[in-house]
Amino acid sequence: MANKENSQPTAKANASGSAKLMKPTGGTPKTAGKTNNTTKQVLADQNAELAGKIKELEARLARENAARAVAERAVQEADAAKRAAEENIKNMTRSDHDGQTDKLIPWPTTANMRDDGRGRLMRAMGLEDARNQYISIQGDVHLLCAQVGLDFRTKYVHQPAEVLSKIFKLARREHPYLKQFQNDWATAEITKQYLQNKRKQSNHKRKAQGEGNSSRCKTHSHFDVSGSESEEEAKSSEHGSGDENNEEDNTGKSG
DNA sequence: TACGCTACAAGTCCATCCAC
DNA sequence: GTGGATGGACTTGTAGCGTA
């Protein structure tokens, strides 16, 4: 980038400057002094211009170096946080195995969840016989999602860590039952599912509106031919500008 | 490079609510 | 009671990432 900008003025100077300046050398001695002065003037101008450019580039370099330093610091901090979280998880599982701490229900793998079939989340949460409790927890989590200002257009991993941890905290306070799930995975799963459905619904609505009005569907698949998703994609990728690194207590699974 | 895992989108099923 | 609307949950296919 800098190279490109750096090289441009030189080329320009060569084209407009030296080519013109070289010609008068064949002039008369009378005109030679005048040409010398003009040459000096032109060179001085170029010098000043280049000095200005250099200054500008130096300032830019300094800014970019500073930004780089900040980014590197952030990476180091994220790395340290990750290690701490991993250590934390190790300790949790170890003490879980020793039976020294509260019994924490570990985060089931996706594969495990897939094998479970219908009602797997309820089952995984140990609420297969307490559907009412599950519904109540789910309802409160959904409520909290709206209350803390969760952005439904944004993917789960891109949600701000503070928003998620707020949800987890409030959900635990509301339903102490949720405390037994390692890293609040149950709340996370409910939230994830909720977000997915919300995104899908809003996509669906948008598409339906874009289509005109023609569609009223129970099974919503057969009419969405128009593709107006790029906007949403752009939005969601905008949001994903690095928030996922600072999740407090929910990154345990992926790490 | 192959493999396993996770997250996501899209499609689909199912339960519930509500108007008729 | 029936059918549409709505929302939660599951399935499938795929992309990205880390690891052996």
Side-chain angles (χ1 to χ4, degrees):
Chain A
M1 215 194 316
N3 279 343
K4 207 176 174 184
E5 284 187 15
N6 211 1
S7 62
Q8 253 179 347
T10 333
K12 216 177 180 178
N14 280 342
S16 62
S18 32
K20 265 184 201 166
L21 290 168
M22 293 303 275
K23 271 201 171 168
T25 47
T28 60
K30 206 177 176 183
T31 54
K34 212 176 180 182
T35 334
N36 263 350
N37 279 345
T38 343
T39 311
K40 271 186 191 168
Q41 184 56 46
V42 170
L43 286 175
D45 284 352
Q46 285 179 4
N47 213 11
E49 192 186 333
L50 288 174
K53 295 254 177 201
I54 288 171
K55 237 180 212 172
E56 194 183 308
L57 287 171
E58 277 175 353
R60 195 166 165 177
L61 186 66
R63 275 201 305 274
E64 286 180 358
N65 276 340
R68 189 177 159 184
V70 169
E72 278 174 357
R73 227 184 1 254
V75 168
Q76 280 171 4
E77 281 171 12
D79 205 37
K82 189 185 167 192
R83 273 200 298 273
E86 282 170 357
E87 195 60 31
N88 206 8
I89 288 163
K90 261 187 214 164
N91 291 340
M92 279 165 73
T93 22
R94 208 178 305 141
S95 52
D96 191 23
H97 284 170
D98 295 347
Q100 287 170 352
T101 59
D102 293 347
K103 228 179 167 184
L104 285 177
I105 300 174
W107 202 325
T109 62
T110 307
N112 283 347
M113 292 281 273
R114 282 191 180 191
D115 290 344
D116 270 3
R118 196 154 275 276
R120 59 187 180 177
L121 184 55
M122 227 177 359
R123 246 198 309 279
M125 289 172 68
L127 293 174
E128 65 267 41
D129 295 327
R131 190 179 153 80
N132 282 344
Q133 191 182 353
Y134 176 76
I135 298 289
S136 158
I137 290 173
Q138 182 198 59
D140 283 337
V141 171
H142 290 179
L143 214 62
L144 287 171
C145 287
Q147 276 175 6
V148 304
L150 205 69
D151 186 355
F152 293 127
R153 293 167 310 184
T154 307
K155 294 172 184 175
Y156 178 80
V157 289
H158 294 154
Q159 295 291 344
E162 60 267 27
V163 170
L164 290 176
S165 60
K166 208 185 280 181
I167 292 174
F168 297 153
K169 206 193 303 180
L170 292 171
R172 278 199 304 262
R173 195 192 301 165
E174 201 75 20
H175 297 276
Y177 183 80
L178 293 171
K179 286 180 187 169
Q180 61 183 314
F181 301 109
Q182 198 176 65
N183 298 330
D184 295 292
W185 63 262
T187 319
E189 286 294 328
I190 293 173
T191 309
K192 220 184 292 179
Q193 186 84 257
Y194 186 50
L195 276 175
Q196 242 173 42
N197 279 321
K198 282 286 176 191
R199 270 202 308 273
K200 200 169 58 174
Q201 281 163 18
S202 64
N203 277 346
H204 182 197
K205 271 180 196 164
R206 252 210 344 260
K207 279 180 184 171
Q209 281 170 1
E211 279 284 313
N213 46 10
S214 58
S215 52
R216 25 172 290 164
C217 58
K218 159 95 170 139
T219 53
H220 9 269
S221 45
H222 307 72
F223 63 95
D224 45 1
V225 195
S226 78
S228 57
E229 286 159 67
S230 50
E231 174 190 334
E232 166 120 342
E233 276 298 311
K235 264 178 196 163
S236 62
S237 54
E238 266 174 25
H239 281 282
S241 54
D243 282 331
E244 62 266 37
N245 280 336
N246 46 356
E247 282 194 28
E248 267 181 19
D249 47 0
N250 184 39
T251 44
K253 193 179 184 180
S254 48

mmCIF file of all heavy atoms in Angstrom, chain A residues 1-50:
data_model
loop_
_atom_site.group_PDB
_atom_site.id
_atom_site.type_symbol
_atom_site.label_atom_id
_atom_site.label_comp_id
_atom_site.label_asym_id
_atom_site.label_seq_id
_atom_site.Cartn_x
_atom_site.Cartn_y
_atom_site.Cartn_z
ATOM 1 N N MET A 1 0.821 -1.180 0.000
ATOM 2 C CA MET A 1 0.000 0.000 0.000
ATOM 3 C C MET A 1 0.873 1.256 0.000
ATOM 4 O O MET A 1 0.734 2.135 -0.810
ATOM 5 C CB MET A 1 -0.853 -0.030 1.254
ATOM 6 C CG MET A 1 -2.183 0.545 0.967
ATOM 7 S SD MET A 1 -3.176 0.950 2.287
ATOM 8 C CE MET A 1 -3.145 -0.301 3.441
ATOM 9 N N ALA A 2 1.731 1.274 0.994
ATOM 10 C CA ALA A 2 2.610 2.416 1.102
ATOM 11 C C ALA A 2 3.513 2.486 -0.114
ATOM 12 O O ALA A 2 3.817 3.554 -0.601
ATOM 13 C CB ALA A 2 3.438 2.305 2.364
ATOM 14 N N ASN A 3 3.919 1.311 -0.600
ATOM 15 C CA ASN A 3 4.798 1.266 -1.732
ATOM 16 C C ASN A 3 4.173 1.926 -2.950
ATOM 17 O O ASN A 3 4.810 2.664 -3.665
ATOM 18 C CB ASN A 3 5.132 -0.188 -2.098
ATOM 19 C CG ASN A 3 6.211 -0.701 -1.211
ATOM 20 O OD1 ASN A 3 6.898 0.098 -0.573
ATOM 21 N ND2 ASN A 3 6.339 -2.005 -1.149
ATOM 22 N N LYS A 4 2.912 1.578 -3.128
ATOM 23 C CA LYS A 4 2.198 2.087 -4.278
ATOM 24 C C LYS A 4 2.196 3.606 -4.254
ATOM 25 O O LYS A 4 2.532 4.272 -5.231
ATOM 26 C CB LYS A 4 0.784 1.553 -4.239
ATOM 27 C CG LYS A 4 0.174 1.447 -5.622
ATOM 28 C CD LYS A 4 -1.172 0.809 -5.470
ATOM 29 C CE LYS A 4 -1.915 0.801 -6.782
ATOM 30 N NZ LYS A 4 -3.248 0.268 -6.608
ATOM 31 N N GLU A 5 1.828 4.147 -3.091
ATOM 32 C CA GLU A 5 1.738 5.587 -2.984
ATOM 33 C C GLU A 5 3.116 6.204 -3.063
ATOM 34 O O GLU A 5 3.308 7.290 -3.569
ATOM 35 C CB GLU A 5 1.079 5.960 -1.663
ATOM 36 C CG GLU A 5 -0.409 5.722 -1.731
ATOM 37 C CD GLU A 5 -1.077 6.240 -0.483
ATOM 38 O OE1 GLU A 5 -0.436 7.002 0.250
ATOM 39 O OE2 GLU A 5 -2.225 5.868 -0.252
ATOM 40 N N ASN A 6 4.067 5.466 -2.539
ATOM 41 C CA ASN A 6 5.414 5.978 -2.508
ATOM 42 C C ASN A 6 5.987 6.108 -3.911
ATOM 43 O O ASN A 6 6.682 7.046 -4.225
ATOM 44 C CB ASN A 6 6.273 5.009 -1.702
ATOM 45 C CG ASN A 6 7.381 5.757 -0.987
ATOM 46 O OD1 ASN A 6 7.459 6.983 -1.098
ATOM 47 N ND2 ASN A 6 8.212 5.043 -0.291
ATOM 48 N N SER A 7 5.678 5.129 -4.721
ATOM 49 C CA SER A 7 6.300 5.102 -6.026
ATOM 50 C C SER A 7 5.661 6.075 -6.992
ATOM 51 O O SER A 7 6.273 6.502 -7.945
ATOM 52 C CB SER A 7 6.235 3.695 -6.595
ATOM 53 O OG SER A 7 4.902 3.321 -6.747
ATOM 54 N N GLN A 8 4.447 6.425 -6.744
ATOM 55 C CA GLN A 8 3.725 7.251 -7.698
ATOM 56 C C GLN A 8 4.351 8.621 -7.925
ATOM 57 O O GLN A 8 4.613 8.984 -9.067
ATOM 58 C CB GLN A 8 2.284 7.411 -7.255
ATOM 59 C CG GLN A 8 1.406 6.592 -8.158
ATOM 60 C CD GLN A 8 -0.025 6.697 -7.744
ATOM 61 O OE1 GLN A 8 -0.341 7.172 -6.664
ATOM 62 N NE2 GLN A 8 -0.911 6.246 -8.573
ATOM 63 N N PRO A 9 4.623 9.349 -6.870
ATOM 64 C CA PRO A 9 5.155 10.687 -7.070
ATOM 65 C C PRO A 9 6.475 10.669 -7.824
ATOM 66 O O PRO A 9 6.731 11.538 -8.640
ATOM 67 C CB PRO A 9 5.370 11.206 -5.647
ATOM 68 C CG PRO A 9 4.492 10.361 -4.801
ATOM 69 C CD PRO A 9 4.433 9.036 -5.503
ATOM 70 N N THR A 10 7.285 9.647 -7.576
ATOM 71 C CA THR A 10 8.575 9.579 -8.237
ATOM 72 C C THR A 10 8.383 9.457 -9.738
ATOM 73 O O THR A 10 9.028 10.150 -10.509
ATOM 74 C CB THR A 10 9.370 8.378 -7.742
ATOM 75 O OG1 THR A 10 8.948 8.094 -6.443
ATOM 76 C CG2 THR A 10 10.825 8.630 -7.795
ATOM 77 N N ALA A 11 7.523 8.568 -10.097
ATOM 78 C CA ALA A 11 7.265 8.361 -11.514
ATOM 79 C C ALA A 11 6.764 9.644 -12.157
ATOM 80 O O ALA A 11 7.167 10.025 -13.249
ATOM 81 C CB ALA A 11 6.257 7.232 -11.685
ATOM 82 N N LYS A 12 5.862 10.269 -11.412
ATOM 83 C CA LYS A 12 5.273 11.505 -11.903
ATOM 84 C C LYS A 12 6.370 12.548 -12.091
ATOM 85 O O LYS A 12 6.457 13.225 -13.107
ATOM 86 C CB LYS A 12 4.265 12.006 -10.873
ATOM 87 C CG LYS A 12 3.058 12.649 -11.517
ATOM 88 C CD LYS A 12 2.106 13.026 -10.419
ATOM 89 C CE LYS A 12 0.864 13.666 -10.955
ATOM 90 N NZ LYS A 12 -0.038 13.970 -9.845
ATOM 91 N N ALA A 13 7.226 12.647 -11.092
ATOM 92 C CA ALA A 13 8.290 13.633 -11.134
ATOM 93 C C ALA A 13 9.194 13.361 -12.320
ATOM 94 O O ALA A 13 9.604 14.284 -13.029
ATOM 95 C CB ALA A 13 9.097 13.578 -9.838
ATOM 96 N N ASN A 14 9.492 12.096 -12.551
ATOM 97 C CA ASN A 14 10.343 11.762 -13.682
ATOM 98 C C ASN A 14 9.705 12.188 -14.989
ATOM 99 O O ASN A 14 10.362 12.742 -15.849
ATOM 100 C CB ASN A 14 10.599 10.246 -13.716
ATOM 101 C CG ASN A 14 11.684 9.898 -12.724
ATOM 102 O OD1 ASN A 14 12.420 10.774 -12.293
ATOM 103 N ND2 ASN A 14 11.752 8.630 -12.367
ATOM 104 N N ALA A 15 8.438 11.885 -15.088
ATOM 105 C CA ALA A 15 7.757 12.147 -16.342
ATOM 106 C C ALA A 15 7.672 13.643 -16.609
ATOM 107 O O ALA A 15 7.991 14.109 -17.703
ATOM 108 C CB ALA A 15 6.367 11.527 -16.309
ATOM 109 N N SER A 16 7.226 14.370 -15.588
ATOM 110 C CA SER A 16 6.983 15.782 -15.833
ATOM 111 C C SER A 16 8.243 16.625 -15.607
ATOM 112 O O SER A 16 8.390 17.676 -16.189
ATOM 113 C CB SER A 16 5.878 16.272 -14.902
ATOM 114 O OG SER A 16 6.289 16.124 -13.578
ATOM 115 N N GLY A 17 9.110 16.168 -14.787
ATOM 116 C CA GLY A 17 10.284 16.937 -14.419
ATOM 117 C C GLY A 17 11.488 16.681 -15.295
ATOM 118 O O GLY A 17 11.805 17.485 -16.177
ATOM 119 N N SER A 18 12.119 15.544 -15.102
ATOM 120 C CA SER A 18 13.417 15.345 -15.731
ATOM 121 C C SER A 18 13.347 15.341 -17.245
ATOM 122 O O SER A 18 14.224 15.885 -17.893
ATOM 123 C CB SER A 18 14.055 14.054 -15.236
ATOM 124 O OG SER A 18 13.080 13.112 -14.947
ATOM 125 N N ALA A 19 12.311 14.765 -17.793
ATOM 126 C CA ALA A 19 12.217 14.714 -19.244
ATOM 127 C C ALA A 19 12.251 16.135 -19.818
ATOM 128 O O ALA A 19 12.925 16.400 -20.788
ATOM 129 C CB ALA A 19 10.957 14.017 -19.674
ATOM 130 N N LYS A 20 11.519 17.011 -19.172
ATOM 131 C CA LYS A 20 11.487 18.389 -19.635
ATOM 132 C C LYS A 20 12.829 19.064 -19.403
ATOM 133 O O LYS A 20 13.323 19.811 -20.200
ATOM 134 C CB LYS A 20 10.406 19.147 -18.869
ATOM 135 C CG LYS A 20 9.088 19.188 -19.602
ATOM 136 C CD LYS A 20 8.139 20.038 -18.814
ATOM 137 C CE LYS A 20 6.709 19.741 -19.180
ATOM 138 N NZ LYS A 20 5.791 20.311 -18.203
ATOM 139 N N LEU A 21 13.400 18.745 -18.224
ATOM 140 C CA LEU A 21 14.604 19.465 -17.836
ATOM 141 C C LEU A 21 15.831 19.063 -18.639
ATOM 142 O O LEU A 21 16.742 19.847 -18.783
ATOM 143 C CB LEU A 21 14.879 19.231 -16.351
ATOM 144 C CG LEU A 21 13.897 19.902 -15.430
ATOM 145 C CD1 LEU A 21 14.078 19.381 -14.026
ATOM 146 C CD2 LEU A 21 14.014 21.405 -15.493
ATOM 147 N N MET A 22 15.840 17.861 -19.111
ATOM 148 C CA MET A 22 17.014 17.394 -19.822
ATOM 149 C C MET A 22 17.178 18.111 -21.172
ATOM 150 O O MET A 22 18.266 18.339 -21.614
ATOM 151 C CB MET A 22 16.932 15.884 -20.082
ATOM 152 C CG MET A 22 16.999 15.052 -18.839
ATOM 153 S SD MET A 22 18.474 15.356 -17.904
ATOM 154 C CE MET A 22 19.591 14.231 -18.740
ATOM 155 N N LYS A 23 16.080 18.462 -21.749
ATOM 156 C CA LYS A 23 16.142 19.051 -23.102
ATOM 157 C C LYS A 23 16.960 20.335 -23.182
ATOM 158 O O LYS A 23 17.824 20.459 -24.044
ATOM 159 C CB LYS A 23 14.725 19.253 -23.628
ATOM 160 C CG LYS A 23 14.243 18.020 -24.343
ATOM 161 C CD LYS A 23 13.124 18.376 -25.275
ATOM 162 C CE LYS A 23 12.802 17.163 -26.135
ATOM 163 N NZ LYS A 23 11.557 17.352 -26.863
ATOM 164 N N PRO A 24 16.754 21.322 -22.316
ATOM 165 C CA PRO A 24 17.413 22.608 -22.485
ATOM 166 C C PRO A 24 18.921 22.543 -22.464
ATOM 167 O O PRO A 24 19.550 23.527 -22.746
ATOM 168 C CB PRO A 24 16.904 23.421 -21.302
ATOM 169 C CG PRO A 24 15.642 22.795 -20.932
ATOM 170 C CD PRO A 24 15.821 21.342 -21.233
ATOM 171 N N THR A 25 19.523 21.475 -22.125
ATOM 172 C CA THR A 25 20.985 21.404 -22.088
ATOM 173 C C THR A 25 21.611 21.776 -23.422
ATOM 174 O O THR A 25 22.729 22.233 -23.475
ATOM 175 C CB THR A 25 21.450 19.995 -21.712
ATOM 176 O OG1 THR A 25 20.715 19.063 -22.503
ATOM 177 C CG2 THR A 25 21.254 19.716 -20.265
ATOM 178 N N GLY A 26 20.892 21.652 -24.462
ATOM 179 C CA GLY A 26 21.433 21.994 -25.758
ATOM 180 C C GLY A 26 21.242 23.480 -26.137
ATOM 181 O O GLY A 26 21.553 23.893 -27.237
ATOM 182 N N GLY A 27 20.784 24.312 -25.160
ATOM 183 C CA GLY A 27 20.484 25.696 -25.438
ATOM 184 C C GLY A 27 21.744 26.590 -25.463
ATOM 185 O O GLY A 27 22.843 26.161 -25.207
ATOM 186 N N THR A 28 21.527 27.867 -25.721
ATOM 187 C CA THR A 28 22.644 28.805 -25.759
ATOM 188 C C THR A 28 23.106 29.140 -24.349
ATOM 189 O O THR A 28 22.346 28.994 -23.388
ATOM 190 C CB THR A 28 22.223 30.109 -26.457
ATOM 191 O OG1 THR A 28 21.148 30.654 -25.707
ATOM 192 C CG2 THR A 28 21.794 29.852 -27.872
ATOM 193 N N PRO A 29 24.381 29.622 -24.188
ATOM 194 C CA PRO A 29 24.853 29.977 -22.856
ATOM 195 C C PRO A 29 23.986 31.055 -22.202
ATOM 196 O O PRO A 29 23.882 31.105 -20.989
ATOM 197 C CB PRO A 29 26.246 30.531 -23.130
ATOM 198 C CG PRO A 29 26.648 29.980 -24.441
ATOM 199 C CD PRO A 29 25.408 29.724 -25.198
ATOM 200 N N LYS A 30 23.382 31.902 -23.030
ATOM 201 C CA LYS A 30 22.558 32.962 -22.463
ATOM 202 C C LYS A 30 21.358 32.382 -21.709
ATOM 203 O O LYS A 30 20.987 32.825 -20.635
ATOM 204 C CB LYS A 30 22.090 33.890 -23.595
ATOM 205 C CG LYS A 30 21.790 35.278 -23.126
ATOM 206 C CD LYS A 30 21.406 36.131 -24.315
ATOM 207 C CE LYS A 30 21.008 37.515 -23.839
ATOM 208 N NZ LYS A 30 20.551 38.369 -24.925
ATOM 209 N N THR A 31 20.771 31.432 -22.351
ATOM 210 C CA THR A 31 19.577 30.834 -21.739
ATOM 211 C C THR A 31 19.934 29.831 -20.661
ATOM 212 O O THR A 31 19.085 29.443 -19.868
ATOM 213 C CB THR A 31 18.731 30.133 -22.795
ATOM 214 O OG1 THR A 31 19.548 29.210 -23.495
ATOM 215 C CG2 THR A 31 18.112 31.124 -23.760
ATOM 216 N N ALA A 32 21.196 29.414 -20.644
ATOM 217 C CA ALA A 32 21.580 28.354 -19.705
ATOM 218 C C ALA A 32 21.363 28.777 -18.253
ATOM 219 O O ALA A 32 20.857 28.004 -17.445
ATOM 220 C CB ALA A 32 23.045 27.988 -19.949
ATOM 221 N N GLY A 33 21.749 30.022 -17.925
ATOM 222 C CA GLY A 33 21.579 30.474 -16.547
ATOM 223 C C GLY A 33 20.122 30.492 -16.134
ATOM 224 O O GLY A 33 19.752 30.044 -15.046
ATOM 225 N N LYS A 34 19.304 30.936 -17.047
ATOM 226 C CA LYS A 34 17.859 31.001 -16.766
ATOM 227 C C LYS A 34 17.312 29.596 -16.516
ATOM 228 O O LYS A 34 16.565 29.339 -15.573
ATOM 229 C CB LYS A 34 17.161 31.629 -17.972
ATOM 230 C CG LYS A 34 15.941 32.436 -17.597
ATOM 231 C CD LYS A 34 15.390 33.096 -18.850
ATOM 232 C CE LYS A 34 14.166 33.903 -18.504
ATOM 233 N NZ LYS A 34 13.593 34.516 -19.711
ATOM 234 N N THR A 35 17.770 28.682 -17.401
ATOM 235 C CA THR A 35 17.287 27.308 -17.272
ATOM 236 C C THR A 35 17.735 26.702 -15.955
ATOM 237 O O THR A 35 17.005 25.976 -15.294
ATOM 238 C CB THR A 35 17.845 26.439 -18.416
ATOM 239 O OG1 THR A 35 18.122 27.261 -19.522
ATOM 240 C CG2 THR A 35 16.898 25.348 -18.767
ATOM 241 N N ASN A 36 18.993 27.021 -15.603
ATOM 242 C CA ASN A 36 19.503 26.530 -14.324
ATOM 243 C C ASN A 36 18.613 26.964 -13.178
ATOM 244 O O ASN A 36 18.273 26.173 -12.289
ATOM 245 C CB ASN A 36 20.913 27.083 -14.103
ATOM 246 C CG ASN A 36 21.942 26.065 -14.518
ATOM 247 O OD1 ASN A 36 21.588 24.914 -14.773
ATOM 248 N ND2 ASN A 36 23.185 26.468 -14.631
ATOM 249 N N ASN A 37 18.230 28.213 -13.235
ATOM 250 C CA ASN A 37 17.368 28.730 -12.164
ATOM 251 C C ASN A 37 16.022 28.011 -12.141
ATOM 252 O O ASN A 37 15.531 27.626 -11.081
ATOM 253 C CB ASN A 37 17.128 30.225 -12.378
ATOM 254 C CG ASN A 37 18.315 31.022 -11.865
ATOM 255 O OD1 ASN A 37 19.154 30.480 -11.121
ATOM 256 N ND2 ASN A 37 18.428 32.272 -12.298
ATOM 257 N N THR A 38 15.474 27.827 -13.330
ATOM 258 C CA THR A 38 14.187 27.130 -13.405
ATOM 259 C C THR A 38 14.340 25.711 -12.874
ATOM 260 O O THR A 38 13.506 25.210 -12.132
ATOM 261 C CB THR A 38 13.684 27.056 -14.857
ATOM 262 O OG1 THR A 38 14.384 28.008 -15.628
ATOM 263 C CG2 THR A 38 12.211 27.282 -14.919
ATOM 264 N N THR A 39 15.463 25.083 -13.328
ATOM 265 C CA THR A 39 15.703 23.711 -12.864
ATOM 266 C C THR A 39 15.769 23.662 -11.350
ATOM 267 O O THR A 39 15.157 22.813 -10.701
ATOM 268 C CB THR A 39 17.044 23.208 -13.435
ATOM 269 O OG1 THR A 39 17.080 23.467 -14.822
ATOM 270 C CG2 THR A 39 17.206 21.744 -13.186
ATOM 271 N N LYS A 40 16.540 24.606 -10.808
ATOM 272 C CA LYS A 40 16.680 24.658 -9.347
ATOM 273 C C LYS A 40 15.315 24.806 -8.684
ATOM 274 O O LYS A 40 14.983 24.115 -7.717
ATOM 275 C CB LYS A 40 17.573 25.825 -8.958
ATOM 276 C CG LYS A 40 19.043 25.471 -8.909
ATOM 277 C CD LYS A 40 19.824 26.661 -8.381
ATOM 278 C CE LYS A 40 21.326 26.443 -8.581
ATOM 279 N NZ LYS A 40 22.081 27.667 -8.341
ATOM 280 N N GLN A 41 14.546 25.733 -9.288
ATOM 281 C CA GLN A 41 13.221 26.001 -8.716
ATOM 282 C C GLN A 41 12.358 24.736 -8.740
ATOM 283 O O GLN A 41 11.751 24.358 -7.749
ATOM 284 C CB GLN A 41 12.539 27.118 -9.521
ATOM 285 C CG GLN A 41 11.196 27.549 -8.940
ATOM 286 C CD GLN A 41 11.333 27.985 -7.482
ATOM 287 O OE1 GLN A 41 12.254 28.746 -7.140
ATOM 288 N NE2 GLN A 41 10.472 27.503 -6.623
ATOM 289 N N VAL A 42 12.377 24.072 -9.904
ATOM 290 C CA VAL A 42 11.558 22.861 -10.064
ATOM 291 C C VAL A 42 12.018 21.785 -9.086
ATOM 292 O O VAL A 42 11.214 21.122 -8.422
ATOM 293 C CB VAL A 42 11.636 22.341 -11.508
ATOM 294 C CG1 VAL A 42 11.000 20.973 -11.602
ATOM 295 C CG2 VAL A 42 10.953 23.307 -12.443
ATOM 296 N N LEU A 43 13.353 21.652 -9.011
ATOM 297 C CA LEU A 43 13.886 20.620 -8.097
ATOM 298 C C LEU A 43 13.530 20.942 -6.648
ATOM 299 O O LEU A 43 13.212 20.058 -5.856
ATOM 300 C CB LEU A 43 15.406 20.517 -8.270
ATOM 301 C CG LEU A 43 15.856 19.814 -9.551
ATOM 302 C CD1 LEU A 43 17.367 19.881 -9.683
ATOM 303 C CD2 LEU A 43 15.398 18.378 -9.565
ATOM 304 N N ALA A 44 13.615 22.235 -6.329
ATOM 305 C CA ALA A 44 13.275 22.634 -4.963
ATOM 306 C C ALA A 44 11.813 22.295 -4.665
ATOM 307 O O ALA A 44 11.469 21.776 -3.594
ATOM 308 C CB ALA A 44 13.532 24.118 -4.774
ATOM 309 N N ASP A 45 10.988 22.584 -5.669
ATOM 310 C CA ASP A 45 9.562 22.274 -5.503
ATOM 311 C C ASP A 45 9.355 20.786 -5.270
ATOM 312 O O ASP A 45 8.635 20.351 -4.369
ATOM 313 C CB ASP A 45 8.789 22.710 -6.757
ATOM 314 C CG ASP A 45 8.611 24.212 -6.788
ATOM 315 O OD1 ASP A 45 8.957 24.855 -5.759
ATOM 316 O OD2 ASP A 45 8.152 24.741 -7.828
ATOM 317 N N GLN A 46 10.060 20.037 -6.144
ATOM 318 C CA GLN A 46 9.922 18.579 -6.020
ATOM 319 C C GLN A 46 10.425 18.101 -4.677
ATOM 320 O O GLN A 46 9.854 17.227 -4.034
ATOM 321 C CB GLN A 46 10.689 17.879 -7.134
ATOM 322 C CG GLN A 46 9.991 17.960 -8.463
ATOM 323 C CD GLN A 46 10.808 17.281 -9.541
ATOM 324 O OE1 GLN A 46 11.848 16.693 -9.261
ATOM 325 N NE2 GLN A 46 10.338 17.374 -10.768
ATOM 326 N N ASN A 47 11.530 18.682 -4.280
ATOM 327 C CA ASN A 47 12.111 18.341 -2.991
ATOM 328 C C ASN A 47 11.106 18.570 -1.866
ATOM 329 O O ASN A 47 10.885 17.715 -1.010
ATOM 330 C CB ASN A 47 13.343 19.209 -2.772
ATOM 331 C CG ASN A 47 14.396 18.460 -1.990
ATOM 332 O OD1 ASN A 47 14.263 17.255 -1.798
ATOM 333 N ND2 ASN A 47 15.430 19.147 -1.572
ATOM 334 N N ALA A 48 10.512 19.747 -1.914
ATOM 335 C CA ALA A 48 9.548 20.095 -0.874
ATOM 336 C C ALA A 48 8.368 19.120 -0.904
ATOM 337 O O ALA A 48 7.917 18.626 0.136
ATOM 338 C CB ALA A 48 9.070 21.522 -1.080
ATOM 339 N N GLU A 49 7.967 18.837 -2.129
ATOM 340 C CA GLU A 49 6.812 17.933 -2.274
ATOM 341 C C GLU A 49 7.146 16.552 -1.703
ATOM 342 O O GLU A 49 6.382 15.952 -0.952
ATOM 343 C CB GLU A 49 6.438 17.828 -3.742
ATOM 344 C CG GLU A 49 5.108 17.156 -3.989
ATOM 345 C CD GLU A 49 4.881 16.961 -5.496
ATOM 346 O OE1 GLU A 49 5.437 17.741 -6.283
ATOM 347 O OE2 GLU A 49 4.154 16.020 -5.843
ATOM 348 N N LEU A 50 8.332 16.078 -2.090
ATOM 349 C CA LEU A 50 8.740 14.743 -1.622
ATOM 350 C C LEU A 50 8.943 14.736 -0.116
ATOM 351 O O LEU A 50 8.611 13.756 0.569
ATOM 352 C CB LEU A 50 10.017 14.313 -2.338
ATOM 353 C CG LEU A 50 9.817 13.945 -3.804
ATOM 354 C CD1 LEU A 50 11.157 13.682 -4.475
ATOM 355 C CD2 LEU A 50 8.924 12.730 -3.929
#
